[in-house]
Amino acid sequence: LEEAAFQLQQIFRIDISIALNILGIESMRAGHCQVAFTCFKLAADRGYSKAQFNVGLCYEHGRGTEKDLEKAGFYYCQAASSRHPMAQYRYARYLLQHGPGSLQDRHHKAVALLEQAAGAGNTEAQAYLGVFYMRGLQPQEKRGLKYLLQAANSGDAQSRYHVGVCYEQGLGVQQNLAEALRHYQRSAAAGNRQARERLRA
């Protein structure tokens, strides 16, 4: 009986958090940012990762509350610990730009989070890692190309352009101008300005 009561409490807690988060999203859409923030915060403080991510966004952009990057980082971290892919991406970016601790520790943790988010199919993390590995102090071109291709195949036109550059210059792959042209054309067709300029050149 105690176990059943505990399970009911858990279900009730989760359902309330989901309802508060949905109410927050609807309030934000209606332009009631302070109400939205209050709803997100109530659900986030109950441990609901989607709401924690939304609170992070509110703090990062100053919507419904004052802008506070440290608090944004805290809530992104909370959501990331529940394996929320977009929170992992946002928290990794926070660590690389503002986070506490040594640069080496932050860098290591951020890359691990980006890898997890990319593995979960997060296009932003895939694109970021692709460029990160291409442009790092010790470039890992094949690894970078792998992530760029993942992001491009998820519809990211900028990553598709970078894949074209890889084929044109032989970065992480054998140089192939016909393949480069194909990627530039697909990127340009998706509206990428750099790809259009490269095609004209």
Side-chain angles (χ1 to χ4, degrees), residues 14 18 49 58-59 75 84 112 140 145 170 174 186 195:
I14 291 166
I18 291 169
S49 65
C58 288
Y59 276 123
Y75 279 97
H84 186 291
Q140 298 177 47
L145 179 59
Q174 189 171 345
R186 288 182 66 184

Side-chain angles (χ1 to χ4, degrees), residues 103-122:
L103 183 61
Q104 188 174 359
D105 288 346
R106 287 177 9 224
H107 181 275
H108 182 72
K109 188 171 184 179
V111 170
L113 285 166
L114 287 167
E115 294 268 5
Q116 288 174 26
N122 182 275

Side-chain angles (χ1 to χ4, degrees), residues 12-104:
F12 180 72
R13 188 174 68 84
I14 291 166
D15 284 350
I16 289 290
S17 299
I18 291 169
L20 283 166
N21 192 57
I22 291 169
L23 188 59
I25 292 167
E26 292 304 315
S27 297
M28 192 63 80
R29 284 187 183 139
H32 306 301
C33 298
Q34 287 181 321
V35 173
F37 175 74
T38 302
C39 292
F40 291 146
K41 185 89 165 52
L42 285 167
D45 292 344
R46 290 170 167 267
Y48 188 51
S49 65
K50 289 182 180 179
Q52 289 167 338
F53 172 71
N54 287 331
V55 171
L57 284 175
C58 288
Y59 276 123
E60 183 179 358
H61 300 291
R63 300 194 71 192
T65 187
E66 291 212 11
K67 192 172 183 176
D68 188 325
L69 292 179
E70 197 172 316
K71 286 181 180 174
F74 172 80
Y75 279 97
Y76 286 147
C77 177
Q78 296 290 306
S81 68
S82 297
R83 303 187 76 80
H84 186 291
M86 187 54 100
Q88 290 172 326
Y89 167 71
R90 292 270 184 175
Y91 186 52
R93 295 285 304 266
Y94 168 78
L95 285 173
L96 290 170
Q97 294 166 12
H98 312 284
S102 75
L103 183 61
Q104 188 174 359

